[in-house]
């Protein structure tokens, strides 16, 4: 939520001229709660109510299929049949799972869509998150195993091979939803828009004056939503995974929501956040989570092996490293960019 407010603030701040132009033609933005977060769409031209309606109903459809909190979602149907039998799913669910499996392989399991049992155990997004015992973690770790996710393209079926396994698409489905939104914008011949799904930003087209959009990168140590720098992008997406988004603290230790499938604990890689910029938002979403878990050296290797991907790594000591051609301008003097 915090991440969302910040990005919306930046989009409006950086784009005042375009926003005012948008006001004359229709509402410049609309926000609704979906996908577990505040989703804001700003159409800077042709902001017709029917386009907004189509976008938000698609977000809700994706949520109804891919959520783990809605009991009747397709994802929960797959989870309920773990170790029992394959489940046939809609093509969008299958597509996201195929992409998730690909990123699990590319990241050597750092990104793992079968992280569900550990997410439930920690319950970091829930009302009563808690530090589990080592025994509890050890009991569930073997169930986090993307290689036991069986996808049959012909029958469009999904099977979790072992009882107790559970899928969670929290690290990729918002990116997919942003890409679906881009498809709806293309279909409706919209030229410029900002899609903000809880901080997953898709900057569609370019500003009216033909300049790139300016996207702020959240200060990961500041809960007030200030930014430490700007990325300039056209037709690209910027997605951040960080320690500040969802967490709880116990005995002075922060436990955040990005878990390492290797040991079952929140990933500790010396990073505060990773922002990934690329064309397709599902790629950026999966990669930002994967790279955060992998840490700098292995994460950088993954970014550099993927075409058209850039990343901004922010470390606990306030140093910043860029890789893969990220167009980032630092604005906060408390941080410093260091060379790789
Ligand atoms: P990201 O880094 O993109 O993702 C982190 C999230 O991915 C974690 O919260 C966890 O769910 C999962 N994850 C953790 N570690 C890994 C890993 N190693 N590999 C793969 N995945 C991992 N939130 C609510 O509070 N209530 C809701 O009802 C709700 N419904 C949602 C429905 C949908 C369809 C989606 C996509 C999200 C929903 N959410 C909901 C939010 C969700 O629980 C995550 O907190 C959110 O997606 C995190 O996104 P992020 O960009 O902050 O972090
Ligand atoms: Mg992600």
């Amino acid at each position: 939520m915090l991440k969302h407010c910040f990005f919306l603030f930046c989009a409006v701040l950086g784009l005042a001229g375009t926003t005012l132009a948008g006001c004359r033609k229709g509402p410049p933005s609309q926000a609704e709660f979906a996908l577990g977060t505040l989703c804001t769409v700003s159409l800077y031209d042709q902001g017709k109510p029917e386009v907004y309606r189509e976008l938000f109903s698609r977000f809700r459809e994706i949520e109804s299929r891919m959520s783990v909190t809605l009991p009747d979602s397709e994802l929960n149907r797959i989870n309920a049949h773990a170790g029992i039998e394959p489940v046939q799913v809609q093509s969008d669910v299958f597509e996201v799972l195929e992409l998730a499996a690909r990123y699990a392989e590319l990241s050597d399991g750092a990104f793992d869509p079968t992280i569900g049992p550990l997410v439930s155990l920690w319950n970091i997004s829930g009302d009563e998150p808690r530090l589990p015992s080592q025994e509890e973690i050890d009991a569930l770790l073997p169930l986090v195993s993307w290689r036991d996710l069986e996808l049959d393209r012909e029958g469009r079926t999904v099977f979790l091979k072992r009882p107790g396994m559970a899928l969670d698409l929290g690290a990729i489905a918002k990116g997919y939803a942003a890409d679906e939104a881009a498809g709806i914008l293309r279909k409706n011949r919209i030229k410029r828009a900002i899609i903000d799904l809880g901080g997953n930003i898709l900057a569609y087209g370019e500003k009216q004056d033909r300049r790139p959009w300016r996207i702020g990168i959240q200060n990961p140590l500041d809960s007030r939503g200030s930014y430490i720098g700007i990325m300039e992008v056209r037709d690209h997406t910027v997605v951040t995974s960080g320690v500040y988004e969802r967490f709880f603290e116990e005995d002075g230790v922060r436990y955040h929501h990005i878990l390492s499938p290797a040991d079952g604990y929140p990933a500790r890689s010396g990073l505060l956040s990773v922002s990934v910029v690329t064309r397709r938002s599902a790629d950026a979403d999966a990669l930002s989570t994967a790279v955060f878990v992998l840490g700098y050296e292995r994460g950088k290797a993954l970014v550099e092996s993927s075409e058209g991907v850039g990343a901004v790594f922010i470390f606990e000591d306030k140093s910043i490293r860029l890789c893969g051609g990220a167009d980032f301008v630092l604005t906060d003097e408390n941080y410093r960019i260091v060379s790789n």
Side-chain angles (χ1 to χ4, degrees), residues 171 241 285 288-289:
S241 285
D285 199 355
S288 68
T289 309

Side-chain angles (χ1 to χ4, degrees), residues 292-326:
F292 187 92
V293 174
L294 285 170
Y296 178 63
E297 293 297 340
R298 293 173 71 204
K300 176 173 176 265
L302 178 57
V303 167
E304 290 179 343
S305 68
S306 319
E307 216 180 298
V309 180
V312 178
F313 295 80
I314 306 180
F315 293 81
E316 285 165 356
D317 67 358
K318 295 190 176 176
S319 64
I320 297 174
R321 286 182 166 82
L322 310 177
C323 82

Side-chain angles (χ1 to χ4, degrees), residues 64-68 70-90 92-98 113-114 148-152 156-169:
S64 73
R65 293 172 182 170
M66 303 186 200
S67 165
V68 283
L70 298 175
D72 296 332
S73 70
E74 297 223 328
L75 216 63
N76 276 330
R77 209 153 49 80
I78 300 167
N79 292 347
H81 288 85
I84 302 170
E85 60 182 358
V87 171
Q88 193 175 49
V89 294
Q90 299 284 342
D92 52 5
V93 176
F94 195 82
E95 194 185 328
V96 175
L97 285 171
E98 272 193 328
T114 68
D148 291 322
L149 163 64
E150 215 169 67
L151 299 170
D152 174 34
R156 229 199 297 126
T157 60
V158 184
F159 183 42
L160 294 170
K161 285 194 198 159
R162 284 184 284 136
M165 286 181 74
L167 294 167
D168 181 308
L169 292 176

Side-chain angles (χ1 to χ4, degrees), residues 237-248:
T237 182
V238 182
V239 178
T240 301
S241 285
V243 297
Y244 57 88
E245 187 62 28
R246 290 176 183 224
F247 62 88
F248 70 96

